[in-house]
């Protein structure tokens, strides 16, 4: 496993080392979940929650039953993107997630707060425990793909998710800045350490299309991601532009109206996970 590059298709390994782990938590007895895809980033501010939401919408449009577990406890934004404010309810068997307009199941700490602007001032172990409960106590009903929107970095919550949930693959979201090589490498190496395959990269804010002449403008400079992708033999699944329409849809809870065609390669990678 020391030579693992995170791309299981390149080596054919069954990651037997990962199967020896004993930290996996059992899902709710009423849950039925197919594949679990973690969407991660090495740093904040790269639009990871937006990419998570778009991937979920894209998969739902493929006719799949989709859920989003919002593991970013201190900075939850998924409910806002979909315009949901409360869960479906609870029973002695567990908690039912919120349902979006098109039937995407969503669980987030903001759905449990009296006021969605109230801060969550918890220490790391408590936050990690809440994320576990989103898996063990929430009833995920016949979900084909569960996307986990991770907080940035390689701290308590990413470690908890990778150890506690049977994650099938990781999509790494980044932006075209000079420090991308270091930050992305950290994210890839963490996934490798946990023996979880990296499906590829999604570069957000890759360019801005001039509304007048159509020229693509590299607002953050030329991308440095190609070199990293080549180093780890991993694909770049999509390069997303700065799009005011996407930002507006996210702010107004209309993420399910966004065009997700640009993520077709990412969707294909998720389906193969």
């Amino acid at each position: 496993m020391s030579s693992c590059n995170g791309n299981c298709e390149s080596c054919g390994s069954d990651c037997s080392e990962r199967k020896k782990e004993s930290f996996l938590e059992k899902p709710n007895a009423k849950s039925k979940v197919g594949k679990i895809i973690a969407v991660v980033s090495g740093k904040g501010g790269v639009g990871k929650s937006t990419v998570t939401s778009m991937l979920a919408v894209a998969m739902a449009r493929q006719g799949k039953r989709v859920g989003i577990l919002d593991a970013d406890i201190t900075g939850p934004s998924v409910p806002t993107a979909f315009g949901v404010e409360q869960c479906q309810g609870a029973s002695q068997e567990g908690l039912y997630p919120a349902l979006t307009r098109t039937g995407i199941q969503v669980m987030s700490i903001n759905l449990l707060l009296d006021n969605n602007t109230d801060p969550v001032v918890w220490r790391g172990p408590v936050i990690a425990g809440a994320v576990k409960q989103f898996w063990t106590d929430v009833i995920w009903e016949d979900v084909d793909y569960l996307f986990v929107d991770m907080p940035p970095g390689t701290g308590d919550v990413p470690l908890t998710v990778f150890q506690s949930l049977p994650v099938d693959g990781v999509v790494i979201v980044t932006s075209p800045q000079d420090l991308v090589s270091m930050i992305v490498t950290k994210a890839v190496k963490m996934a490798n350490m946990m023996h979880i395959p990296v499906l590829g990269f999604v570069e957000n804010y890759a360019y801005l299309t001039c509304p007048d002449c159509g020229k693509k403008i590299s607002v953050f400079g030329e991308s440095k991601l190609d070199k990293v992708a080549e180093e780890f033999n991993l694909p770049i699944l999509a390069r997303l532009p700065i799009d005011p329409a996407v930002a507006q849809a996210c702010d107004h809870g209309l993420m399910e109206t966004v065009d997700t065609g640009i993520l077709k390669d990412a969707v294909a990678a998720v389906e193969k996970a």
Side-chain angles (χ1 to χ4, degrees):
M1 298 306 298
S2 60
S3 61
C4 177
N5 67 0
N7 185 355
C8 289
E9 290 186 0
S10 68
C11 67
S13 171
D14 64 359
C15 293
S16 58
E17 290 298 319
R18 184 174 171 231
K19 293 180 181 178
K20 295 178 183 178
E21 295 291 345
S22 60
F23 300 109
L24 292 178
E25 297 282 347
K26 292 183 179 179
N28 186 286
K30 292 290 185 178
S31 289
K32 184 179 179 182
V33 178
K35 294 181 180 180
I36 301 176
I37 306 298
V39 183
V40 309
S41 64
K43 63 182 293 295
V46 298
K48 172 184 48 56
S49 295
T50 300
V51 173
T52 301
S53 300
M54 290 179 67
L55 279 172
V57 170
M59 291 304 300
R61 289 174 179 167
Q62 297 284 333
K64 307 299 183 181
R65 290 179 63 87
V66 180
I68 303 176
L69 190 162
D70 188 355
D72 195 351
I73 301 296
T74 59
S77 56
V78 172
T80 299
F82 287 93
V84 293
E85 297 181 351
Q86 59 185 3
C87 298
Q88 297 178 78
S91 69
Q92 292 182 342
E93 297 172 324
L95 181 65
Y96 291 91
L99 276 182
T100 70
R101 296 176 181 85
T102 62
I104 296 173
Q105 299 175 43
V106 174
M107 188 63 227
S108 172
I109 195 66
N110 256 17
L111 300 173
L112 304 176
L113 300 177
D114 292 333
N115 189 324
N116 63 15
T117 59
D118 290 342
V120 177
V121 188
W122 297 344
R123 294 193 182 276
V126 180
I127 293 174
V131 172
K132 285 184 182 181
Q133 286 185 285
F134 285 173
W135 174 245
T136 60
D137 295 3
V138 172
I139 300 173
W140 298 99
E141 298 182 283
D142 297 319
V143 170
D144 297 312
Y145 293 91
L146 179 64
F147 291 94
V148 183
D149 184 20
M150 305 272 265
T154 56
D156 280 348
V157 171
L159 181 60
T160 295
V161 170
F162 287 158
Q163 288 186 325
S164 303
L165 276 63
V167 179
D168 294 284
V170 169
V171 173
I172 298 178
V173 181
T174 185
S175 60
Q177 295 166 292
D178 284 338
L179 51 72
V180 71
S181 297
M182 176 187 69
I183 298 299
V184 170
T185 297
K186 286 178 181 288
V188 172
K189 286 185 175 180
M190 181 177 188
N192 290 348
M193 289 172 63
M194 306 307 296
H195 309 304
I196 299 175
V198 178
L199 305 182
F201 305 106
V202 172
E203 186 176 66
N204 200 19
Y205 310 137
Y207 58 89
L208 172 68
T209 302
C210 176
D212 296 322
C213 67
K215 179 181 178 180
K216 292 183 178 180
I217 304 168
S218 300
V219 178
F220 293 103
E222 294 302 318
S223 174
K224 308 298 187 299
L225 186 58
D226 294 88
K227 183 177 180 181
V228 180
E230 182 179 357
E231 177 184 351
F232 289 102
N233 191 30
L234 291 166
I236 298 176
L237 302 173
R239 296 183 189 270
L240 306 184
I242 298 173
D243 189 344
V246 173
Q248 187 175 30
C250 187
D251 289 343
H252 291 85
L254 299 173
M255 187 54 69
E256 286 154 302
T257 66
V258 169
D259 183 358
T260 58
I262 197 170
L263 286 171
K264 62 181 185 300
D265 290 342
V267 169
V270 168
E271 289 179 324
K272 293 177 182 178

